[in-house]
Amino acid sequence: AFAGFLEFLKMNLAGQTSVRIDAACASQGAILQGVGQVLQPHHLLREEEMATALPDLARAVGVADAPEPRAEGVPGPVPLAKVYDGKIEKAAIDAYRRDYLTLGFPRWKKM
């Protein structure tokens, strides 16, 4: 079912369905492009940079005791690790190809 949903997302994000693109499913690139029409972001942080970049950013704006960033699981009835495999990875990359290429998303599984 998840693979089917990703196939739908691929078509939806490419404008090949009559369904509007829900903001929750929009690509990060599209969201940045939309924000950029109003205001240019000062910083873009990659996940692997957050442990050092967020405390540095907090100190730069005068917050000395910012909490440490921590990983949080996504709530749901089935953990992603239970359904995620190379086939799902490929479908996610196909749906969000530009984000994977330009924003440096790491691969979780071998394809």
Side-chain angles (χ1 to χ4, degrees):
F2 190 45
F5 176 69
L6 287 171
E7 182 62 30
F8 163 77
L9 272 180
K10 177 183 174 182
M11 294 184 302
N12 182 245
L13 296 172
Q16 297 173 346
T17 70
S18 60
V19 179
R20 71 170 177 79
I21 298 172
D22 189 282
C25 297
S27 71
Q28 289 186 14
I31 292 169
L32 284 170
Q33 185 178 20
V35 168
Q37 291 178 1
V38 178
L39 179 67
Q40 293 297 312
H42 291 282
H43 300 280
L44 290 178
L45 303 178
R46 295 180 189 272
E47 184 176 6
E48 64 271 11
E49 301 168 335
M50 289 177 127
T52 56
L54 287 177
D56 290 345
L57 186 58
R59 281 190 295 279
V61 295
V63 178
D65 59 346
E68 289 282 322
R70 59 185 168 88
E72 290 192 21
V74 178
V78 179
L80 184 59
K82 292 277 190 190
V83 297
Y84 207 85
D85 59 14
K87 180 181 175 185
I88 296 295
E89 178 86 53
K90 183 178 181 329
I93 290 170
D94 287 347
Y96 292 98
R97 181 165 306 284
R98 182 173 289 165
D99 282 355
Y100 272 85
L101 293 172
T102 61
L103 299 175
F105 291 175
R107 291 200 170 142
W108 290 1
K109 298 283 184 177
K110 298 251 186 226
M111 290 188 270

